[in-house]
Amino acid sequence: MKRLVILISGRGSNMQALLEAQLPAEASAVISNEPSAKGLEIARSLGVPTRVVHHRDFADRGAFDLALMDAIDEYDPHLVILAGFMRILTPVFLAHFEGKVINIHPSLLPAYQGVDTHRRALQDGVKIHGCTVHFVTPDLDSGPIIVQAAVPVLPQDTEQTLAARVLEQEHRVLPRAAGWFLDGRLRLTGNQVRLAGECHYPDPISSPLTA
Ligand code: GRF
């Protein structure tokens, strides 16, 4: 059985979607950098071991990342998923887990890298917004894109209503991408990710590239 480790910082709804998705892997641990993350309780209630590596316990980003690396290594995971993990990871960390770390980001990358994506999308008046699952590289929110899902931006939208519409899609695409990775179906060429084999998944608003 393959193993996965999920990193969170807060609410944990994407983590919950992963844990409920019946992926072809055991969730070895959920690790949070925030001791008060709500997702920790959810993980425990679903029988998944939890750990806290509190970033404030370390002098700098490098020291925190080394501790996090050690904690993750104990589970020797095939895949590390950032599911609402709000820390920037160092090149040392990412080299250690090269090709094994994926992230869910609440925008259609490369638009709206960073934070406050829904507010910025509303301010810009875009008509289509969405989410992206991508491989994590040292450049923030710039790694190879695995899958995206789009939603309409409605005239009456607030940051909250738009975030909720995007979140619903996050919960669909993140488990899907994790499943493809665990099934060995993702092929990386340069910055392009292709999906091997048949794909019954894409619908008009979400898309992977197929090989
Ligand atoms: C999600 O919108 C995720 O894309 C972003 O932070 C949010 C985390 O939500 N990075 P949750 O903790 O998964 O509920």
Side-chain angles (χ1 to χ4, degrees):
M1 190 71 153
K2 290 191 172 164
R3 293 171 299 281
L4 65 92
V5 166
I6 304 172
L7 305 187
I8 63 167
S9 297
R11 180 178 57 184
S13 69
N14 278 292
M15 171 211 74
Q16 185 170 356
L18 287 163
L19 296 179
E20 290 175 348
Q22 315 224 316
L23 292 170
E26 167 197 82
S28 303
V30 167
I31 303 178
S32 173
N33 65 302
E34 283 289 353
S36 61
K38 285 273 178 297
L40 289 169
E41 289 161 36
I42 300 171
R44 281 195 285 269
S45 75
L46 293 171
V48 179
T50 60
R51 306 258 302 241
V52 173
V53 182
H54 193 187
H55 57 279
R56 292 196 208 285
D57 289 344
F58 300 89
D60 54 36
R61 196 181 290 284
F64 166 72
D65 272 20
L66 287 181
L68 185 61
M69 226 163 84
D70 283 349
I72 296 171
D73 273 343
E74 286 180 33
Y75 305 98
D76 191 20
H78 297 81
L79 174 62
V80 177
I81 305 181
L82 312 186
F85 182 69
M86 303 306 284
R87 303 286 304 174
I88 294 172
L89 295 164
T90 55
V92 171
F93 179 101
L94 292 169
H96 185 73
F97 296 111
E98 195 179 353
K100 283 196 206 177
V101 185
I102 67 173
N103 179 47
I104 177 80
H105 182 77
S107 79
L108 291 174
L109 291 172
Y112 306 115
Q113 296 165 337
V115 295
D116 294 331
T117 57
H118 309 306
R119 186 171 51 74
R120 288 154 61 207
L122 285 173
Q123 272 169 1
D124 287 346
V126 300
K127 305 301 180 221
I128 304 280
H129 188 45
C131 59
T132 302
V133 183
H134 64 96
F135 282 103
V136 180
T137 59
D139 293 327
L140 183 67
D141 299 330
S142 300
I145 291 171
I146 300 168
V147 61
Q148 296 186 299
V151 301
V153 180
L154 304 177
Q156 67 276 21
D157 264 334
T158 62
E159 213 177 313
Q160 288 69 33
T161 58
L162 182 57
R165 192 173 310 114
V166 172
L167 191 65
E168 215 175 291
Q169 297 305 315
E170 295 183 34
H171 295 166
R172 291 174 62 229
V173 292
L174 183 58
R176 228 24 111 109
W180 290 333
F181 181 98
L182 293 163
D183 287 338
R185 293 183 59 193
L186 300 180
R187 306 272 178 275
L188 189 56
T189 317
N191 209 38
Q192 284 203 333
V193 182
R194 288 179 188 273
L195 179 65
E198 255 184 281
C199 182
H200 302 290
Y201 175 59
D203 57 38
I205 59 155
S206 60
S207 174
L209 281 174
T210 47

